[in-house]
């Protein structure tokens, strides 16, 4: 009793009124913390005594909850003891529930429970691209005509929501919403039913997992509705299916017509990401709902590291979506150029890396020595520097290759007395690029040179800075830093040159794009392909400046962003076009068409380069190559894969029966052991792994192709030389007599000299019109 001044009578009354259970004498009881767990259930194991699966799931949760006050799910959940926050019924089966660690362990022992995984946090993988991809060419109009009914294709975008007022989501001239669509337009703060239309056909929010982990959303500072205040979701949705907008630009940069890859397709926005991140229970609920709503394509520009297949809830849900005919396109991640940095590596997911286009935004650093260094920038403002004047230049690091807090221009590290009135050199890393400029500006600096580190190489990513700023490559940066450190009167100025087209070479694999190999299964080459992901113009929120900094009060209708987050929706949109043209194609067939028609040479006819090394990239960087939509529409041959084939792949991965059950829940699948090894999955890429035993010198993989070209077609195999192996294809010719006919071939690789590193090549089937290319990777594991 804390009210020590309360009269004695009042104290007695209080004791009478307070329930006995709440009176604690002695040390306070510490309740075990509850966190969110995703519970996968065996749908087929439900006893007949239950009227619904949710009732059964609830009883399982109730059986392990000591305070058994489990209540039914309701939308406006203010009760801390509410345990079930989602029920999954379509792409996966089970619930997301708030449990203590002990309760989760007890639940795993219950009959019918397949797996219990803790909540996982995911991060977002943060104009001219249609032309660069050939989608604006006059001769492509027949191929992609509206007669293809791409308006019947719905792409679900899992992201930060949508800004419905953007011109990219204008539905003028669009046909009525497809009859198969079952989605909804959820309302909330600043988002009403009228904000959905024939372009935005659905908008939903998923926040229970986020709130369970971080507390209630502050609805004064964040929209608890499908409205996008971050900008990322509007940008990706518009890249997928944005309507044509003439005169689109960012502060005058990249001026032209903006359009999505599939401007006739529909968008359904599933808001799963909030200011504090994106949580797996919400993502799974969105996938589950999206599949039930009737999406044809799912575009997911986020990731959360790599887990074994049976512990990767996103992979499990994507498997269920694939079973229902939905193609799932995911970003590969921004962990490059480090090897083994990929996310979203399951073979049934289309994994997309990032590359450049033939457009950049040149800017120049002019030094007091008379030397000019080429860079990139999207700066546009009133604080321009004079071309004819030179300003003091300062670098607060050392000649050491290791940056320090001041050289990184981290908040609070710059002394105004040192940087005021000067151009400051900042190393990339730790903090966002645009934030470094804000730190310089706050300290009185008049400009910034943003220098790449060795990891970024010579790749130039343009940013919409708040002060004059230019990004430069690592080599030139080292020279400029040396000049600033060794010259007492180092000076420079910065100039900006707008937009440049026809850049060579392009495409180039972005340095930040995550790389293989895929250590979950070396036999599955990842990423699958690359697509434009550097300096992409698309729709933006009206609630955030183009730099995404709170201090940026500029408002723009379009923004330029970079990341595999941007490349993923390019592929999602092209996949929507292919689905419209070929509605009977499976997700694997669409991916096959994209992979086998991808190109591996740039616009100078040389192998596509890696921005981090300026040397030729490999399939670990670019997968099958850069997407080529006009070729993908007519690939000639397809490497198709059915859901059972993917399940057989998992069987070959030595998963236990219990682990496999997580993937068997929809069709009660069992292993037929039709794949001798994982490498025999009918994947469009071929990755062969020679084991540690040197006595194994020959390996054979099998593939089956389906003819989707002319009924009578004759193909011959052409294999590029690969160091360390000889290659034999049997048969070396494929003679088709009818459309949709399937033929099988075997490729035998015989070691002639074991190599210490992977070697690369390609197999191409040619019929005089089509070139159906599969990348080849050969790996020799170190001898025992």
């Amino acid at each position: 009793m804390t009210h020590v001044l309360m009269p004695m009578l009042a104290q007695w009354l209080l004791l009478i009124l307070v329930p006995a259970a709440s009176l604690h004498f002695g040390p306070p009881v510490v309740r075990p913390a509850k966190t969110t767990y995703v519970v996968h259930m065996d749908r087929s194991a439900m006893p007949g005594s239950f009227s619904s699966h949710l009732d059964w799931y609830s009883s399982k949760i109730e059986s392990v909850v000591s305070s058994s006050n489990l209540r039914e799910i309701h939308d406006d959940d203010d009760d801390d003891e509410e345990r079930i926050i989602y029920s999954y019924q379509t792409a996966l089966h089970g619930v997301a529930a708030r449990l203590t660690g002990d309760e989760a362990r007890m639940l795993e022992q219950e009959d019918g429970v397949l797996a219990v995984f803790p909540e996982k946090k995911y991060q977002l993988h943060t104009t001219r691209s249609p032309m660069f991809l050939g989608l604006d060419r006059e001769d492509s109009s027949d191929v992609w005509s509206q007669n293809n009914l791409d308006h019947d294709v719905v792409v679900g975008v899992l992201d930060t929501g949508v800004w419905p007022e953007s011109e990219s989501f204008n539905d003028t001239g669009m046909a009525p919403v497809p009859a198969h669509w079952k989605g909804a337009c959820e309302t909330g703060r600043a988002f009403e039913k009228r904000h959905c239309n024939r372009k935005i056909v659905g908008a939903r929010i998923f926040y229970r997992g986020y709130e369970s982990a971080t507390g209630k959303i502050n609805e004064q500072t964040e929209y608890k509705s499908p409205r996008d205040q971050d900008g990322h979701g509007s940008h990706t949705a518009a890249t997928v299916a944005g309507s044509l907008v003439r005169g689109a630009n960012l502060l005058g940069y990249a001026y032209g017509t903006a359009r999505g890859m599939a401007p006739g397709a529909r968008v359904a926005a599933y808001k799963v990401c909030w200011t504090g991140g994106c949580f797996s229970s919400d993502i799974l609920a969105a996938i589950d709902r999206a599949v039930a709503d009737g999406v044809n394509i799912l575009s997911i520009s986020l990731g959360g590291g790599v887990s074994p297949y049976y512990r990767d809830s996103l992979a499990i849900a994507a498997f269920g979506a694939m079973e229902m005919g939905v193609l799932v396109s995911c970003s590969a991640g921004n962990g490059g150029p480090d090897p083994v940095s990929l996310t979203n590596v399951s073979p049934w997911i289309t994994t997309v890396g990032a590359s450049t286009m033939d457009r950049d935004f040149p800017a120049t650093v002019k030094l007091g020595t008379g030397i000019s260094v080429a860079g990139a920038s999207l700066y546009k403002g009133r604080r321009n520097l004079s071309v004819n004047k030179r300003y003091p230049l300062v670098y607060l690091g050392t000649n050491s290759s290791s940056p320090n807090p001041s050289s990184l221009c981290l908040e609070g590290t710059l002394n105004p007395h040192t940087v005021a009135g000067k151009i400051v050199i900042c190393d990339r890393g730790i903090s966002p690029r645009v934030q470094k400029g804000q730190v310089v500006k706050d300290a009185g600096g008049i400009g910034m040179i943003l220098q790449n580190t060795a990891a970024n190489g010579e790749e130039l990513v343009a940013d919409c800075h708040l002060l004059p700023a230019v990004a430069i490559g690592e080599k030139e940066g080292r020279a400029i830093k040396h000049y600033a450190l060794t010259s007492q009167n180092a000076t420079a100025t910065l100039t900006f040159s707008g937009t440049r087209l026809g850049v060579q070479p392009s495409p180039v694999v972005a340095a930040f794009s995550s790389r293989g190999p895929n250590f979950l299964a070396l036999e599955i080459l990842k990423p699958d392909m690359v697509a434009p992901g550097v300096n992409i113009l698309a729709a933006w929120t009206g609630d955030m400046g183009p730099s995404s900094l709170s201090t940026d009060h500029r408002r723009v209708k379009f923004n330029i962003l970079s990341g595999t987050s941007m490349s993923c929706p390019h592929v999602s949109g092209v996949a929507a076009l292919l689905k419209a043209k070929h509605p009977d194609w499976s997700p694997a067939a669409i991916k096959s068409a994209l992979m086998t028609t991808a190109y591996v040479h740039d616009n100078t006819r040389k192998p596509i380069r890696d921005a981090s090394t300026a040397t030729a990239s490999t399939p670990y960087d670019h997968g099958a190559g850069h997407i080529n939509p006009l070729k993908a529409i007519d690939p000639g041959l397809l490497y198709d894969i059915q859901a059972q084939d993917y399940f057989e792949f998992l069987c070959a991965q030595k998963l236990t029966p219990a682990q496999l059950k997580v993937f068997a829940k929809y069709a009660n699948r069992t292993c037929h052991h039709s794949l001798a090894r994982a490498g025999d999955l009918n994947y469009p890429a071929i990755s062969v792994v020679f084991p540690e035993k040197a006595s194994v010198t020959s390996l054979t993989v099998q593939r089956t192709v389906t003819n989707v070209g002319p009924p009578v077609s004759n193909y011959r195999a052409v294999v590029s030389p690969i160091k360390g192996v000889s290659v034999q294809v049997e048969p070396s010719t494929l003679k088709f007599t009818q459309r949709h006919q399937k033929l099988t071939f075997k490729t035998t690789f015989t070691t002639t000299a074991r190599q210490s590193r992977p070697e690369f090549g390609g197999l191409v089937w040619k019929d005089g019109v089509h070139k159906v290319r599969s990348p080849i990777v050969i790996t020799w594991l170190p001898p025992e």
Side-chain angles (χ1 to χ4, degrees), residues 740-762:
H740 298 131
Q741 182 182 356
K742 296 178 185 291
L743 292 176
T744 298
F745 65 92
K746 293 183 178 181
T747 309
T748 300
F749 301 88
T750 303
T751 296
T752 55
R754 288 180 74 98
Q755 303 296 306
S756 59
R757 60 182 61 192
E759 295 292 338
F760 308 99

Side-chain angles (χ1 to χ4, degrees), residues 620 723-724 753-760 777-781:
Y620 284 161
K723 186 178 179 181
R754 288 180 74 98
Q755 303 296 306
S756 59
R757 60 182 61 192
E759 295 292 338
F760 308 99
V777 180
I778 309 293
T779 307
W780 292 265
L781 298 180

Side-chain angles (χ1 to χ4, degrees), residues 391-636:
Y391 302 87
L393 180 66
V394 63
Y395 176 58
L396 300 177
T398 66
N399 272 322
S400 164
S401 59
S402 301
N404 60 46
S406 294
S407 75
L408 289 163
C409 300
L410 302 181
E411 206 157 340
T413 63
L414 299 185
N415 185 337
H417 295 296
T418 308
V419 304
K422 298 177 182 176
I423 296 172
V424 182
I425 302 170
C426 298
D427 291 316
R428 277 182 66 173
I430 308 296
S431 62
R433 299 181 300 271
V434 288
Q435 191 174 49
K436 296 175 188 291
Q438 181 67 53
V439 171
V440 171
K441 183 181 177 184
D442 290 345
I446 59 168
M448 176 179 70
I449 298 172
L450 184 65
Q451 196 236 320
N452 281 0
T453 61
N456 315 120
E458 304 311 303
E459 173 182 75
L460 298 178
V461 177
D463 292 299
C464 199
H465 293 283
L466 285 162
L467 85 170
V470 177
I472 58 172
E474 193 259 344
K475 288 178 184 173
E476 292 89 347
R478 270 189 282 134
I480 293 176
K481 287 196 291 192
H482 179 74
Y483 167 60
L485 290 169
T486 56
S487 173
Q488 285 188 332
N489 297 305
T491 60
T493 192
L494 310 176
T495 63
F496 307 93
S497 306
T499 305
R500 180 173 64 181
L501 304 178
V503 174
Q504 293 183 334
S506 62
V508 174
V509 177
F512 60 75
S513 186
S514 289
R515 314 303 170 96
N518 164 23
F519 270 6
L520 266 192
L522 284 171
E523 297 88 350
I524 303 298
L525 176 66
K526 292 284 181 170
D528 291 311
M529 63 200 73
V530 292
V534 179
N535 298 334
I536 305 301
L537 180 79
W540 192 241
T541 175
D543 224 47
M544 183 79 71
S547 70
S548 293
L549 296 175
S550 59
T551 53
D552 189 352
H553 301 298
R554 299 172 296 181
R555 293 295 178 263
V556 295
K557 294 181 177 180
F558 293 85
N559 201 3
I560 292 173
L561 300 181
S562 297
T564 53
S565 275
M566 283 63 252
S567 53
C568 169
H570 278 85
V571 168
S572 307
V574 176
L577 290 174
L578 294 178
K579 184 67 176 176
K581 183 72 174 177
H582 304 286
D584 57 325
W585 280 10
S586 69
I590 294 172
K591 177 157 75 168
S592 173
L594 289 166
M595 289 177 69
T596 60
T597 59
Y599 58 86
V600 292
H601 290 85
D602 61 28
N603 57 3
T604 67
R605 300 188 177 182
K606 293 179 180 177
I608 292 175
R609 298 186 198 180
D610 176 354
S612 69
T613 62
T615 60
S617 60
T618 75
Y620 284 161
D621 309 319
H622 61 238
H626 189 283
I627 60 167
N628 190 345
L630 290 179
K631 294 286 187 185
I633 198 77
D634 177 24

Side-chain angles (χ1 to χ4, degrees), residues 182-194:
K182 302 182 185 69
C185 188
E186 295 180 1
T187 59
R189 180 176 160 228
F191 203 93
E192 301 171 12
K193 292 282 187 187
R194 64 182 176 85

Side-chain angles (χ1 to χ4, degrees), residues 298-453:
L298 277 171
S299 190
I300 305 177
S301 287
L302 45 84
V306 175
S307 303
Y309 299 112
Y310 64 91
R311 292 189 64 85
D312 185 341
S313 291
L314 178 54
I316 294 167
F319 190 97
M322 172 273 298
E323 288 182 296
M324 307 291 278
V326 177
L327 181 140
V328 181
S329 171
C330 292
S331 46
N334 297 340
D338 292 342
V340 201
S341 49
L342 292 163
T343 64
N344 304 318
V345 297
S346 299
W348 50 89
I349 287 175
T350 300
T351 312
V352 188
S355 54
T356 65
M357 294 189 300
D358 62 345
R359 175 186 71 192
D360 65 12
F361 306 100
T364 306
V365 178
K366 295 184 177 180
L367 300 175
T369 59
I371 295 173
S372 291
V373 176
S377 181
L378 292 169
Y379 174 71
K380 191 69 168 285
R382 293 187 297 272
R383 298 166 53 121
N384 285 309
L385 304 181
S386 170
V387 177
N388 300 317
K389 188 178 175 183
R390 296 293 181 268
Y391 302 87
L393 180 66
V394 63
Y395 176 58
L396 300 177
T398 66
N399 272 322
S400 164
S401 59
S402 301
N404 60 46
S406 294
S407 75
L408 289 163
C409 300
L410 302 181
E411 206 157 340
T413 63
L414 299 185
N415 185 337
H417 295 296
T418 308
V419 304
K422 298 177 182 176
I423 296 172
V424 182
I425 302 170
C426 298
D427 291 316
R428 277 182 66 173
I430 308 296
S431 62
R433 299 181 300 271
V434 288
Q435 191 174 49
K436 296 175 188 291
Q438 181 67 53
V439 171
V440 171
K441 183 181 177 184
D442 290 345
I446 59 168
M448 176 179 70
I449 298 172
L450 184 65
Q451 196 236 320
N452 281 0
T453 61

